[in-house]
Amino acid sequence: MSTKHSLADVMVCEPFGHRSQTRSSEKASKTFKDATRIQESFTSALERRVLLWLASRMPSQIGPDHLTVLGFVAMIFAGGSYALARWHSIGLVLAACFLGLNWFGDSLDGTIARVRGRLRPRYGFYVDHMIDSFGGLFLIGGLGFSGYVDWRIAGSMLIGFLLLSIESYLAAYTLGSFRLSFAKFGPTEIRILLALGSFALWINPDLSILSLRLFDFGGIVAIAGMAVMVIIAAAWHTAKLYSQETLS
């Protein structure tokens, strides 16, 4: 008798527990407030129009997740192409092409979700930015291996990128604002500069600025820029949070 009751309890409680978890998840999604996206880069206005045009013409069979995967795979191949450039300059051209493909997938996935009313704010935010972090690792790792960038500069760029990402994510959580661009530069501008630099080195591998190799010079500028942005953003947001939560 007791065994029958136990089995019945399991049969009843399991679906109930599952339903409770589902309701809890749905409630969390409804109460979750997505951070305000701040995008003020040079290309943001034009990019927004292009993305909306593409989203309205994208086949219904292709969803945001497909584009997210496409963007991630393209970034892995971009890093691999830079690694290939250590032996053959065609890797520079391939890397530029994969950066363009990464822009297509990474930028369009969220637009598709918004246009179709298929937003999943928590899932989208988490997956998108975890993929960005791993993508940055593959890309900068490939650059460091390519021989076109000193590995110490590449490592410092990765640290700067991760610190800036962490600051942005913390600001999104604590202040409800997520900044996608700094000083008019965002991911799209960085892709464009990197692609142009790749084509320039493909044409002239010995290209240099101020006696520094092109990508070494660009890397140093990027490190300095990211360092300044992290320090200013961290100081500004700390002061803002302090003023909002001053103890009496």
Side-chain angles (χ1 to χ4, degrees):
M1 181 68 72
S2 60
T3 304
K4 291 180 181 178
H5 280 302
S6 299
L7 289 172
D9 289 344
V10 170
M11 291 171 67
V12 171
C13 290
E14 264 192 335
F16 178 77
H18 178 70
R19 287 197 299 271
S20 297
Q21 291 176 359
T22 301
R23 290 186 190 127
S24 176
S25 177
E26 289 174 353
K27 184 178 179 181
S29 295
K30 289 178 181 178
T31 57
F32 177 78
K33 186 178 180 181
D34 199 8
T36 302
R37 295 160 60 90
I38 302 172
Q39 172 62 291
E40 302 170 335
S41 66
F42 289 111
T43 62
S44 60
L46 174 61
E47 182 179 22
R48 195 174 298 113
R49 290 195 296 271
V50 171
L51 290 173
L52 288 171
W53 185 87
L54 290 171
S56 65
R57 288 159 177 78
M58 188 63 58
S60 59
Q61 295 88 345
I62 299 176
D65 286 344
H66 300 114
L67 293 166
T68 299
V69 172
L70 173 64
F72 182 48
V73 171
M75 188 61 91
I76 293 174
F77 274 89
S81 296
Y82 278 123
L84 173 64
R86 185 181 186 94
W87 298 284
H88 200 295
S89 61
I90 194 63
L92 295 167
V93 177
L94 291 174
C97 294
F98 283 121
L99 284 171
L101 192 59
N102 168 259
W103 170 84
F104 181 83
D106 186 49
S107 301
L108 192 56
D109 56 358
T111 305
I112 287 281
R114 283 186 286 275
V115 167
R116 296 179 181 174
R118 305 286 292 175
L119 285 171
R120 290 179 288 176
R122 294 181 299 151
Y123 169 83
F125 186 88
Y126 181 82
V127 171
D128 193 39
H129 297 298
M130 280 304 302
I131 283 178
D132 285 346
S133 299
F134 280 110
L137 176 63
F138 283 112
L139 180 67
I140 298 174
L143 278 167
F145 189 78
S146 70
Y148 286 91
V149 184
D150 186 287
W151 67 268
R152 290 163 294 188
I153 294 176
S156 299
M157 283 196 296
L158 180 60
I159 292 170
F161 165 73
L162 293 176
L163 283 173
L164 196 58
S165 298
I166 291 168
E167 200 289 321
S168 297
Y169 304 153
L170 289 173
Y173 177 76
T174 57
L175 293 167
S177 61
F178 182 63
R179 181 168 287 279
L180 293 164
S181 59
F182 296 85
K184 292 292 184 179
F185 275 85
T188 299
E189 284 74 17
I190 293 171
R191 291 187 190 96
I192 291 171
L193 289 175
L194 200 50
L196 289 175
S198 299
F199 281 121
L201 286 173
W202 178 60
I203 295 169
N204 180 8
D206 299 319
L207 193 61
S208 62
I209 299 176
L210 300 178
S211 300
L212 291 169
R213 294 182 303 173
L214 179 63
F215 275 177
D216 282 343
F217 176 81
I220 291 171
V221 171
I223 293 164
M226 287 188 288
V228 170
M229 287 186 281
V230 167
I231 292 170
I232 291 175
W236 177 263
H237 291 152
T238 299
K240 189 172 183 178
L241 288 166
Y242 181 82
S243 67
Q244 291 178 358
E245 298 183 341
T246 302
L247 298 175
S248 57

